[in-house]
Amino acid sequence: MYGYRGKILRVNLTEKTFKVEDLDLELAKKFIGGRGLGEKLFMDEVDPKVDPLSPENKFLVVTGPLTGTPTPTGGRYMVVTKSPLSDTIACSNSGGFWGAELKFAGYDVIIVEGKADNPVYIYIEDDKVEIKDAQHLWGKVVSETTKSLTEECGEKAKVLTIGPAGEKLSKIAAVMNDLYRAAGRSGVGAVMGSKNLKAIVVKGSGKPQIAQEDKLKEVVTKCIKKLKENGVTGQGLPTYGTAVLVNIINENGVFPTNNFQKGVFPEAEEISGETLAEKYLIKKDVCYRCPIGCGRYCKVDDIEGGGPEYETIWAFGADCGVSDLASIIKANFWCNELGLDTISAGTTIAAAMELYQRGYIKEEETEGVPLEFGNSEAVIEWTKRMGYREGIGDKLAEGSYRLAESYGAPDLSMSVKKLELPAYDPRGIQGHGLQYATSNRGGCHVRGYLISPEILGLPEKLDRFSLEGKAQWAKTFQDLTAAIDSLGLCLFTSFALGAQDYADLYNALVGTEFSGEDILTAGERIWNIEKLFNLKAGITKKDDTLPKRLLTEPIPEGPSKGWVHKLEELLPQYYQLRGWDEEGVPKEETLAKLGI
Amino acid sequence: MYGYRGKILRVNLTEKTFKVEDLDLELAKKFIGGRGLGEKLFMDEVDPKVDPLSPENKFLVVTGPLTGTPTPTGGRYMVVTKSPLSDTIACSNSGGFWGAELKFAGYDVIIVEGKADNPVYIYIEDDKVEIKDAQHLWGKVVSETTKSLTEECGEKAKVLTIGPAGEKLSKIAAVMNDLYRAAGRSGVGAVMGSKNLKAIVVKGSGKPQIAQEDKLKEVVTKCIKKLKENGVTGQGLPTYGTAVLVNIINENGVFPTNNFQKGVFPEAEEISGETLAEKYLIKKDVCYRCPIGCGRYCKVDDIEGGGPEYETIWAFGADCGVSDLASIIKANFWCNELGLDTISAGTTIAAAMELYQRGYIKEEETEGVPLEFGNSEAVIEWTKRMGYREGIGDKLAEGSYRLAESYGAPDLSMSVKKLELPAYDPRGIQGHGLQYATSNRGGCHVRGYLISPEILGLPEKLDRFSLEGKAQWAKTFQDLTAAIDSLGLCLFTSFALGAQDYADLYNALVGTEFSGEDILTAGERIWNIEKLFNLKAGITKKDDTLPKRLLTEPIPEGPSKGWVHKLEELLPQYYQLRGWDEEGVPKEETLAKLGI
């Protein structure tokens, strides 16, 4: 067995039992691993109509075949479950070291079932598995929990945990690992909370076998060279982190400001990656075997820790009209501690600010911290209230859609399938907007990052306003991304690497003979099973859309002035290219072709 | 006050008192900071003939003006004291985060005087300074000490400490910080031990002011771009760490093997940076604000931690004839834990192996672990015995010169001024050999890294066997290096940056108008005061030499076959260029020109 470790750990929290099962290697190869394999296993076992916060939902942690191997960025794991935020299939991806350690311990997958009667954590040390009491950890923030668990389990133990937000079933709660890394989106932290599962701690002493050692060395060397020579992965990201995008996106007039009311934030420079580097950066915070090193570690006053990322800076910054970077870093710090998805947390506050601006939320409800755009104190304080569900923080903890709906104004939630949109206004980036609308987990930028060709010009520069060819670009990026996630690599490698590079890495490791085309086909297969799950869960064509504002209100000023998103023209082309019918349902022949 | 914080913390361990003094800013600018300023302060206060391990020796920790600022690699500190190994001035330099934190706490320099009657540590939190009992830490290894101290002082506290080797006054003991970083050379750890000073813990909440913020941003951006585009700092070091040199140096036939008996190690590939990356690397271990990220973090079986570096791999590897990389990583682990300089530790074992090979050390003295070249178990076991001074480990703890001398064979120590030579055979790199012979702290590669032009071709490729121009190259590199150390930057920046870049960084930060030439002159000034100290300490022309083997025995095989080092030709040229007389004593006019 090469690459994979060949074992699934199944833990039943209701029964407090576990067993180790063999991985079906043929199935694994068909769905690659990680996202694809995890979703396939999940769908084979769970009813798509399951209540996400019930004991019947399952919580999978899945690694890719490249996780924990000597491949660049090969350290990622994914959480697969049904999302309590969007009711879609959820697959949230994280870096750091936890994923590699799970492979060292000998497992490809953990399947968590049922619900413990009291808070517990799972301890894994190679063959030794224990379900341990976590009463003493319940209520603790992420740093305290991690500290307690490394004291209990040893310094080298890797900790995955939820914070108070996950315990309190916030629909925007994240799963955190290695202190500052998050499987952030879709509210997957609440699923752990619903199972009374506080943490999973892992220590491993083995490692995956390599089919062709010399060949792998050669391919890795080639890939690292490409990553180093690429402007984004070799210069932009290592130097300024993901926040290198702040100025670039703002200059294109697609940097959503005040809950997408505008596309230009005049104070962008003050919250840029350059300013972050100048004023607050302490070091890079790198993941397992990453030659890019985009992670930041910053300090403001007596607060320090990982991040903030570009999306976080935008969500708490421009989207809330806030230009004080120190406050954004503090809000990010609290998201890490409470275990909140920074994109959903920041944008939910932005939605609350517009609800306040338009008189839906009354001043008395804000209890001394007005939800005014530009109020830098508010982004810190409301993050805490959201995490602890204090006052109307209780409503914010449900995410922007349910918040806005509760005030009778659901259109003020800038979300797709109830998942909050990230930091790019699709009105000025048409392909990216199509991707938002069709993403199987909702408003997400990492299911097909069309910013790469439409803004950054990689692998080639497209006209961002044109619709031509965009459906095909969206499909290709979505399929390739599904494959990269499934391999266990970081999406950022795709700025420099192509399908053939991924095939070369996989082949040398596992001993297969996949072509680049095979990798893309596997990605398409994964995309289609996700779609099938969603359809069965009741997520249909009506949900493949964008917030009304983005379809009807032109961007009021700046380099993208006058544009709305033209989804109506793009969506039918996309469905057709995918081999889906007019309702967005995969045709028999499409599924047959993909072997589903 | 810009760049500098303007404060010196003076701690008297005999009296258990401290006071804060103002920094003389004009003096600071004349000697830049760090190495230069620290040495000037030291020399003004300490008799060059002082016994290094007596209470009358002082122990200075000094930062540069760029330490703790937003400059790339600006996180370094230096230990300045008189070396118990070489009796020269000692200045050992380290990265990590401790140095930046000292600046955050508000100090440029700490001067430690006297000797505590019992083990203590110094705790600094901004204005708060305490001399605390360290009885409970005495005897503990570095990781345990660091763990205890962060439990006592808080997670964000940065720890500088010695291990058991420093406590036991090993003349090759290092000062460790941030777990895996070392002010390694010259036995500076023993000076801490002699003062009963186990550790210095620091936490700071301020930061240095910047004279010209926008200008600094611009210069930093320029410098980072150069660092990214340079083959060594942008590709080689980030990808494979310093061990990227193993194959390169071996291919030139100057990779000292079996205590410099040969210049080619046939198994070099097995201990290369490439193999390290393939088999044992977990992540990069980056220093404060470093865009290069050469640091490694590796795992073998149940051992993991920072390193190993190129020099370490060579010292325990080729120089001991050992090709088992896992054993080298373990020996490195023990050096980190015991607080031993890896270069001196590995090469002292290599010297012991030659003493054993030639019958000086008897089998019975080796107590079950024969000191045979190639014995991978020996490099681990003898590192521990050396650190704990067990058996003849007690003799090894004194360094290779005193070890070899004690057996009547001092010529088997491959050292200059009793400091062990690093991983480049000077017989095949003539300029580098001159640098070894004239280095003010003894056998050292980081006082003027002529490997850069003579092997790597930066800034231009020189004929490594030629003597032409080498005296001038050695002088220029020595002066520039003294300036870089003094600024608080990492020497590795010099692969990509030149004197003018350093001047630009310093000027924007401090508000001065130094030229590149001024930076070099400051470096020359520093080099000359070091020389004056050594002369007063009794270190003279007779000590500006190389081990007899390197002057008389030609390299037996490989691409440097037949060469010896031609120091006799180079040394007079060098003295003349330096403005020194034939005995290597700086002339009056030279000192006057430099304002000394």
Side-chain angles (χ1 to χ4, degrees), chain B residues 168-208:
Chain B
K168 291 173 185 292
L169 309 183
S170 165
K171 292 193 172 63
I172 57 173
V175 169
M176 306 296 298
N177 61 284
D178 304 297
L179 287 171
Y180 310 119
R181 299 283 158 188
R185 308 226 65 194
S186 306
V188 293
V191 179
M192 274 184 76
S194 75
K195 298 189 172 308
N196 271 324
L197 177 60
K198 177 68 176 173
I200 308 178
V201 183
V202 64
K203 258 161 73 172
S205 64
K207 55 181 162 180

Side-chain angles (χ1 to χ4, degrees), chain A residues 70 97 101 204 207 221 228-229 234-235 238 240 275 277-279 281-284 286 288-289 299, chain B residues 70 97 101 204 207 217 221 228-229 234-235 238 240 277-279 281-284 286 288-290 299:
Chain A
F97 300 91
E101 199 73 23
K207 54 182 164 179
T221 303
K228 291 279 172 199
E229 287 172 356
Q235 296 235 12
Y240 296 118
T275 301
E278 175 71 14
K279 292 194 172 167
L281 184 68
I282 294 282
K283 62 173 175 178
K284 289 189 207 178
V286 296
Y288 176 84
R289 280 183 174 270
K299 179 172 176 169
Chain B
F97 299 90
E101 198 74 22
K207 55 181 162 180
K217 219 162 164 173
T221 303
K228 290 280 171 198
E229 286 171 356
Q235 296 234 13
Y240 296 118
E278 175 72 15
K279 292 194 174 167
L281 184 68
I282 294 283
K283 62 173 176 178
K284 288 189 204 179
V286 296
Y288 176 82
R289 278 183 175 273
C290 179
K299 180 171 175 169

Side-chain angles (χ1 to χ4, degrees), chain A residues 213-229:
Chain A
E213 291 217 4
D214 288 345
K215 179 68 183 170
L216 184 66
K217 220 163 165 172
E218 182 192 306
V219 179
V220 165
T221 303
K222 174 192 76 172
C223 291
I224 290 178
K225 192 161 184 289
K226 287 188 181 184
L227 289 163
K228 291 279 172 199
E229 287 172 356

Side-chain angles (χ1 to χ4, degrees), chain A residues 70-95:
Chain A
T71 52
T73 79
R76 302 192 76 87
Y77 76 89
M78 283 132 270
V79 169
V80 172
T81 189
K82 180 171 173 181
S83 165
L85 181 66
S86 59
D87 282 314
T88 64
I89 184 84
C91 176
S92 301
N93 192 308
S94 182

Side-chain angles (χ1 to χ4, degrees), chain B residues 244-405:
Chain B
V244 69
L245 284 169
V246 168
N247 284 328
I248 299 170
I249 302 302
N250 193 56
E251 281 158 15
N252 281 279
V254 287
F255 194 54
T257 299
N258 292 8
N259 199 37
F260 287 73
Q261 295 185 68
K262 292 183 288 177
V264 176
F265 185 54
E267 291 87 20
E269 178 62 31
E270 292 172 40
I271 60 169
S272 68
E274 292 84 342
T275 301
L276 188 73
E278 175 72 15
K279 292 194 174 167
Y280 303 109
L281 184 68
I282 294 283
K283 62 173 176 178
K284 288 189 204 179
D285 190 37
V286 296
C287 292
Y288 176 82
R289 278 183 175 273
C290 179
I292 305 169
C294 70
R296 308 286 98 177
Y297 186 99
C298 292
K299 180 171 175 169
V300 175
D301 304 332
D302 59 340
I303 273 179
E304 63 177 88
E309 298 294 337
Y310 165 67
E311 305 289 339
T312 312
I313 287 178
W314 160 77
F316 289 109
D319 205 37
C320 290
V322 168
S323 61
D324 178 40
L325 190 47
S327 298
I328 295 169
I329 293 172
K330 289 178 186 174
N332 175 67
F333 171 87
W334 281 105
C335 285
N336 285 344
E337 286 293 49
L338 298 166
L340 280 168
D341 172 27
T342 60
I343 299 177
S344 288
T347 54
T348 297
I349 293 174
M353 285 176 166
E354 189 167 354
L355 288 165
Y356 180 83
Q357 174 192 356
R358 301 194 186 284
Y360 293 100
I361 293 179
K362 306 294 177 208
E363 179 151 14
E364 55 272 27
E365 291 181 278
T366 65
E367 297 180 73
V369 186
L371 281 157
E372 278 162 350
F373 283 113
N375 180 354
S376 56
E377 192 201 339
V379 297
I380 305 170
E381 183 58 24
W382 281 100
T383 297
K384 292 193 226 176
R385 292 184 183 179
M386 195 184 326
Y388 288 117
R389 286 188 179 269
E390 292 167 359
I392 63 163
D394 187 49
K395 292 185 184 180
L396 273 73
E398 296 288 298
S400 69
Y401 185 84
R402 290 173 176 85
L403 170 75
E405 195 186 32

Side-chain angles (χ1 to χ4, degrees), chain B residues 479-496:
Chain B
D479 293 346
L480 182 63
T481 302
I484 298 169
D485 287 349
S486 300
L487 287 165
L489 296 188
C490 175
L491 183 55
F492 286 174
T493 55
S494 68
F495 288 116

Side-chain angles (χ1 to χ4, degrees), chain A residues 46-64:
Chain A
V46 182
D47 177 357
K49 293 205 180 299
V50 72
D51 170 358
L53 298 181
S54 71
E56 289 70 36
N57 192 12
K58 297 190 184 184
F59 179 87
L60 276 64
V61 189
V62 201
T63 59

